[in-house]
Amino acid sequence: MTVFACEPEWAALTKTLVPEATVRTATTHLQDPHHIEARPSLIAQLRGADFAICTGAELEAGWLPMLQDRAGNPKVQNGRPGMFYAAQHVDLIDPFKGTVTPFSGDVHAQGNPHFHTDPRRVMLVAKALAGRLGQLFPDKKTQVDQNLVKFEDELSRRIVVWEKQAAPLKGRTVITQHASFGYVWAWLGIKPIADLEPRPGVPPTASHLERVIALSKTQQPVAIVIAQHHDPKPGRWLAKSMDMERKLLILPATVSDEQPDSIIRWFDQLVAQLSSLAK
Ligand SMILES: [Zn+2]
């Protein structure tokens, strides 16, 4: 069973359910999944896949359709059971309200597609994925169902621990960059007060940063949180200007390896790092 995963979190989730699957991942935690080059190596990987798992909700709109077209693999075309979009199995927050133009940047017209940062949504995706894998690969169904139960048990137990650990952060404020961790804020009751990107995917201007500083003076953010694949310059500049250098968190936006326990380890680290700021 050869699987093509657009993002490492879905590669890891697939490995959780089918540890022996050969999984090729199109992106790493150091890349922005909005912007990937449709390289020949990716086309070849998609061509050889029995199954593909991607986020959907237009996250890969700039590159996946071209890969599907060039790979010419009927198993992973849209509408086929071998093409699984995680976004079809969860509700999305914060759909972009406005007219999308070529200058709008990486807007999320269908809602925020970075929902792998909410463990409850990951659980829903895991269930739907297990169902699909069981249908497509009946000989794996028993194993997939058993691994799903194990994952659900572990994740449910961890969610309780993480929520308790992050409880002191409830109602606190953060400055962010892009909506990469938008679901984390919603889940843990943290309030993002400003985004370093004035428009998604567009670098900040000096006047925008001045506004962020003004807002921070009244709202006292507990941290500036950016993802490792973001340009760290605006965040570093802001942290320095506000004397908050120790409160600049540069976090991986997703798992950095693709093992069956990667997703849980990633949440462990994320919650630990955020919680350390509340002290
Ligand atoms: Zn985005």
Side-chain angles (χ1 to χ4, degrees):
M1 178 175 160
T2 303
V3 177
F4 178 94
C6 283
E7 291 84 24
E9 62 272 20
W10 306 135
L13 191 62
T14 306
K15 284 276 201 183
T16 304
L17 300 177
V18 190
E20 76 279 12
T22 304
V23 183
R24 312 258 183 248
T25 315
T27 59
T28 78
H29 67 292
L30 298 175
Q31 288 175 301
D32 180 348
H34 285 284
H35 300 285
I36 296 299
E37 196 194 330
R39 301 189 305 278
S41 59
L42 294 183
I43 296 166
Q45 284 173 12
L46 190 61
R47 187 174 291 141
D50 301 309
F51 182 77
I53 175 166
C54 294
T55 297
E58 296 180 357
L59 178 64
E60 303 96 349
W63 52 279
L64 182 60
M66 197 188 291
L67 286 185
Q68 286 171 306
D69 192 47
R70 301 219 175 135
N73 178 352
K75 292 183 201 164
V76 295
Q77 300 301 320
N78 291 351
R80 299 298 302 267
M83 182 66 242
F84 181 93
Y85 286 109
Q88 290 174 352
H89 305 280
V90 295
D91 292 331
L92 305 184
I93 61 171
D94 303 332
F96 174 73
K97 295 184 192 79
T99 311
V100 182
T101 72
F103 309 104
S104 302
D106 302 323
V107 294
H108 302 138
Q110 297 180 15
N112 184 336
H114 308 292
F115 52 83
H116 66 281
T117 60
D118 176 355
R120 301 159 307 176
R121 283 176 170 84
V122 170
M123 187 109 81
L124 293 173
V125 174
K127 274 185 203 164
L129 177 61
R132 183 74 63 87
L133 290 173
Q135 269 171 18
L136 268 175
F137 308 98
D139 56 319
K140 305 265 185 213
K141 187 174 170 18
T142 311
Q143 179 204 16
V144 165
D145 289 347
Q146 284 168 356
N147 286 335
L148 175 68
V149 170
K150 263 196 278 174
F151 180 68
E152 283 180 320
D153 284 354
E154 172 75 359
L155 193 59
S156 311
R157 272 188 285 121
R158 298 301 302 163
I159 286 173
V160 175
V161 173
W162 295 325
E163 288 179 352
K164 203 172 159 192
Q165 202 180 346
L169 287 164
K170 210 170 228 170
R172 306 290 291 269
T173 59
V174 285
I175 293 169
T176 63
Q177 185 159 341
H178 196 70
S180 303
F181 298 103
Y183 288 88
V184 178
W185 317 139
W187 169 40
L188 299 175
I190 298 169
K191 293 184 199 154
I193 52 164
D195 192 324
L196 288 167
E197 290 179 0
R199 283 180 291 154
V202 177
T205 56
S207 63
H208 177 73
L209 289 174
E210 291 300 335
R211 277 196 296 276
V212 176
I213 289 188
L215 200 60
S216 303
K217 281 182 180 150
T218 56
Q219 309 244 1
Q220 306 281 318
V222 69
I224 300 165
V225 182
I226 67 175
Q228 276 178 350
H229 67 269
H230 289 147
D231 175 4
K233 282 195 233 73
R236 286 209 174 111
W237 180 85
L238 185 72
K240 201 163 184 225
S241 319
M242 294 173 48
D243 212 10
M244 280 181 69
E245 276 138 309
R246 273 183 301 167
K247 297 201 164 187
L248 174 66
L249 278 191
I250 303 180
L251 303 175
T254 183
V255 300
S256 52
D257 58 70
E258 293 145 23
Q259 300 304 319
D261 66 339
S262 300
I263 292 177
I264 286 173
R265 275 190 285 116
W266 179 78
F267 277 112
D268 268 339
Q269 286 175 10
L270 177 84
V271 173
Q273 286 198 268
L274 288 172
S275 308
S276 69
L277 295 166
K279 283 165 193 150

